[in-house]
Amino acid sequence: MTIHSAQGGEIQMSQSKYSRLINFLQEDLAISTASLAVALRHREQDPGPLAMILWQYGLITLEQLDQIYDWLETA
């Protein structure tokens, strides 16, 4: 299943990179579709970086947060 969302909150991120980020989260970090959906719903009410929202709600570990930011730097 694929998550679709507007990219509000991801500053200066192209739709292509945003789609690759979602794919990275699902395929490489095994973040569930349900967890992503929860984070995306919360982001609509309180915009912010998706990675931080996932971490703040306990949906990813601190190690996974580091992996996401490493990916964002090189993507």
Side-chain angles (χ1 to χ4, degrees):
M1 178 178 263
T2 302
I3 300 289
H4 297 285
S5 174
Q7 60 182 99
E10 299 297 335
I11 303 198
Q12 301 288 328
M13 185 179 290
S14 70
Q15 188 63 39
S16 172
K17 186 173 179 180
Y18 185 77
S19 295
R20 291 192 328 255
L21 171 61
I22 296 296
N23 187 59
F24 170 75
L25 294 172
Q26 290 180 308
E27 300 298 322
D28 293 27
L29 297 184
I31 307 301
S32 72
T33 302
S35 292
L36 285 171
V38 166
L40 291 170
R41 276 195 306 272
H42 284 286
R43 195 171 76 172
E44 289 173 6
Q45 297 168 355
D46 185 16
L50 182 58
M52 286 303 298
I53 293 171
L54 286 164
W55 179 71
Q56 288 172 333
Y57 285 95
L59 302 171
I60 61 172
T61 65
L62 190 56
E63 181 180 314
Q64 288 172 312
L65 181 64
D66 285 339
Q67 289 176 310
I68 294 167
Y69 280 114
D70 288 344
W71 183 91
L72 287 168
E73 285 181 18
T74 60

